[in-house]
Amino acid sequence: MKRGVTYIVTLVSIGLLYFGSLYVVSRPSSSFSTSFSDSKSELLNRDPNEDANLQVPLSSDELFDTTEDDSLANDEYTIVDIKPICDKLPIVEQREKAVIVILVRNNELNPMRRTLRQFEDRFNRKYNYPYVFLNDEPFNDEFKKAISAMTDAEVKFGIVPKSMWSVPSHVNQTVMDAQLKDYASRNIMYGGSLSYRHMCRFNSGFFYRHPLLKDYDYYWRVEPGVEFYCDLDYDPFKFMRENNKEYGFTITLKEIPETIPSLWDHTIKFAHQHELNTTLLNFFGGPNGGYNLCHYWSNFEIASLNFWRDERYQAYFDYLDSTGNFFYERWGDAAVHSLAAGLFLDKNQVHFFDDIGYKHDNFAHCVDDGIYGKCMCPENIPNFDSQWGSCLSSWKNYPEEGHRWDFAKNGLEYLESGQIVHKPGLAVDILLQ
């Protein structure tokens, strides 16, 4: 009996010792509680201005780093800034010599910000390519601050020189004014706008010569109000360089014929004068049918600046400019750029960016890649690729090797089929076998 009582007392003692030790271990000390309360009070009553240089550990491992050398402690932290500067951002890979070019006015700030937000989210926050914003008048402080706040990339704001945005001396202003009135009376889009003509001429023959672009080889043209729908997880500039591409587009469509009544004839005349040999020009028309009005829509362009800087293109633009028809008619830079590609490039030097979802006005290109894809295509605007007026199916059907169409000064044109077309004067076709 005594042995049993002793056994029970022993068990109770062990139990008391065990639970007592747990209480002692789990109970916070009064000094710790006081320290924690004081720290909490200090944080709550901190002067907000003292947080400007608040240091935050990069990871929990670094928080508990036991390195004894205090001189290395600052390397374990990063300073929290309202807007990180470029040298604090991770470099994904070596960037190309490329730039985002945007021609915009101060009163277009809101649509520009919406576009820039999408462009940054879809692409540029990963690569931080620099921006060049251009305007024919100075940007105001509100515009510059509002735009700069939306990106960590370098941003430059420039003015278009008057020499690039004015009526040249060889243009007869009396004739020009009459033409503007005529175009306006016929309700041709932008027909009465002189500013629109300045813009088209600038984009055709001057933007690539602006001093702010001199250090770059490639550009991506973006306009206020356009939309981007697909995440882009590769560098299109690197793709262009590695694949020897000179020009990239997303939408190709028909031009308004009343805006360019003589552009095709002048292009063919230039081809004869310079005895050009072409393989892509036949996509845009033929020796008998003339211009089919197809062109790459230039409000989206990813292209080589050196293509426009080439003396061949410069000669083409100078010739077109000498006619005065950027002002007498309403030549757009989209048609000019497209026909230049037809004159000087092969099809394999032009790329269709099928994976970039894009919308300008009521025209959109976006391929729905499913609920697990990278695109969120608009539900209220159909994909223009297969709509009336699109030239995409013709582009896809045009052979990679193109069609031969060579020009001679004497008016002869040599075609792939072996035909020779003679144009001694005003589009007089004489077929020679």
Side-chain angles (χ1 to χ4, degrees):
M1 181 67 179
K2 290 182 179 180
R3 182 178 298 177
V5 172
T6 302
Y7 178 76
I8 293 172
V9 170
T10 302
L11 288 176
V12 171
S13 299
I14 293 174
L16 290 173
L17 287 172
Y18 174 76
F19 288 107
S21 65
L22 287 179
Y23 173 77
V24 172
V25 170
S26 61
R27 182 176 181 271
S29 67
S30 60
S31 62
F32 176 82
S33 299
T34 303
S35 175
F36 177 79
S37 298
D38 292 343
S39 298
K40 179 179 180 183
S41 176
E42 179 182 353
L43 287 171
L44 291 174
N45 296 315
R46 178 191 294 271
D47 183 350
N49 294 326
E50 293 180 44
D51 290 336
N53 293 318
L54 177 64
Q55 292 182 326
V56 178
L58 291 173
S59 69
S60 59
D61 293 336
E62 293 167 348
L63 179 61
F64 295 99
D65 186 11
T66 57
T67 304
E68 294 181 0
D69 186 355
D70 292 338
S71 66
L72 298 179
N74 289 335
D75 292 338
E76 305 298 330
Y77 298 85
T78 182
I79 304 297
V80 176
D81 295 321
I82 295 174
K83 176 186 173 185
I85 58 177
C86 294
D87 60 4
K88 291 184 182 180
L89 296 172
I91 299 177
V92 178
E93 58 184 77
Q94 184 64 39
R95 293 196 299 258
E96 302 296 323
K97 294 175 64 178
V99 64
I100 315 303
V101 180
I102 303 175
L103 184 64
V104 60
R105 288 198 162 115
N106 289 307
N107 61 8
E108 296 175 301
L109 176 58
N110 286 337
M112 187 71 257
R113 280 173 53 83
R114 285 194 295 271
T115 292
L116 198 59
R117 179 73 279 142
Q118 290 187 14
F119 187 78
E120 282 283 311
D121 290 346
R122 296 303 194 179
F123 168 69
N124 205 41
R125 69 190 306 173
K126 308 181 192 78
Y127 292 92
N128 287 289
Y129 274 104
Y131 292 90
V132 168
F133 287 84
L134 298 175
N135 192 349
D136 65 316
E137 59 186 28
F139 286 105
N140 59 42
D141 289 341
E142 180 187 43
F143 187 95
K144 290 185 286 188
K145 290 178 181 178
I147 292 300
S148 298
M150 301 197 70
T151 178
D152 295 318
E154 179 185 65
V155 182
K156 294 180 181 179
F157 299 93
I159 299 176
V160 177
K162 290 296 182 183
S163 60
M164 298 181 178
W165 197 278
S166 57
V167 179
S169 59
H170 63 267
V171 170
N172 186 316
Q173 297 224 17
T174 302
V175 175
M176 179 191 74
D177 291 341
Q179 287 295 100
L180 263 64
K181 290 180 181 179
D182 175 64
Y183 270 72
S185 67
R186 290 187 282 149
N187 296 318
I188 296 172
M189 184 178 294
Y190 304 115
S193 173
L194 179 59
S195 177
Y196 189 85
R197 286 167 168 79
H198 285 315
M199 180 192 71
C200 292
R201 182 172 177 261
F202 172 76
N203 284 326
S204 294
F206 293 100
F207 85 94
Y208 52 89
R209 292 188 273 179
H210 194 282
L212 291 181
L213 301 186
K214 64 182 178 63
D215 295 328
Y216 303 108
D217 294 333
Y218 296 93
Y219 72 98
W220 186 332
R221 176 172 163 182
V222 175
E223 294 193 355
V226 303
E227 298 186 29
F228 295 92
Y229 298 116
C230 303
D231 287 340
L232 196 61
D233 295 327
Y234 69 94
D235 186 341
F237 299 119
K238 182 178 180 181
F239 171 85
M240 296 284 285
R241 178 181 57 80
E242 291 182 343
N243 293 277
N244 298 312
K245 303 294 184 181
E246 296 291 318
Y247 190 87
F249 71 96
T250 57
I251 294 175
T252 175
L253 72 170
K254 302 277 189 177
E255 181 60 288
I256 302 171
E258 292 84 1
T259 64
I260 50 164
S262 68
L263 179 58
W264 178 261
D265 290 340
H266 282 294
T267 298
I268 298 302
K269 182 179 179 181
F270 176 86
H272 279 291
Q273 290 176 347
H274 293 264
E275 297 186 296
L276 299 181
N277 298 329
T278 74
T279 63
L280 185 56
L281 187 62
N282 201 212
F283 168 70
F284 300 100
N288 299 312
Y291 186 22
N292 61 22
L293 303 177
C294 286
H295 65 286
Y296 313 120
W297 218 14
S298 61
N299 45 71
F300 174 103
E301 288 181 326
I302 300 177
S304 166
L305 286 162
N306 293 322
F307 174 51
W308 310 124
R309 292 166 180 156
D310 188 286
E311 61 183 10
R312 298 174 304 165
Y313 177 76
Q314 195 58 52
Y316 176 57
F317 169 75
D318 289 343
Y319 167 72
L320 295 180
D321 196 36
S322 70
T323 68
N325 286 333
F326 281 102
F327 298 93
Y328 301 147
E329 298 180 10
R330 207 226 65 187
W331 289 355
D333 54 276
V336 172
H337 282 186
S338 300
L339 294 181
L343 291 174
F344 306 122
L345 299 179
D346 299 324
K347 187 185 181 184
N348 59 21
Q349 294 176 286
V350 179
H351 182 67
F352 168 47
F353 280 101
D354 193 21
D355 54 351
I356 298 181
Y358 175 79
K359 181 178 82 73
H360 180 278
D361 291 340
N362 292 320
F363 298 87
H365 162 75
C366 190
V367 177
D368 189 348
D369 55 359
I371 61 173
Y372 302 113
K374 298 180 179 180
C375 297
M376 287 292 293
C377 298
E379 298 179 353
N380 59 334
I381 298 178
N383 191 349
F384 180 67
D385 294 354
S386 58
Q387 301 291 313
W388 181 89
S390 172
C391 298
L392 187 60
S393 61
S394 298
W395 171 259
K396 290 180 175 179
N397 292 330
Y398 194 77
E400 285 297 312
E401 66 277 10
H403 292 299
R404 178 194 175 196
W405 189 5
D406 300 339
F407 299 84
K409 284 186 176 180
N410 59 8
L412 295 179
E413 298 177 8
Y414 301 88
L415 307 180
E416 183 179 89
S417 61
Q419 294 178 329
I420 302 175
V421 177
H422 187 211
K423 294 181 178 177
L426 297 175
V428 178
D429 293 348
I430 302 177
L431 189 61
L432 303 177
Q433 300 293 343

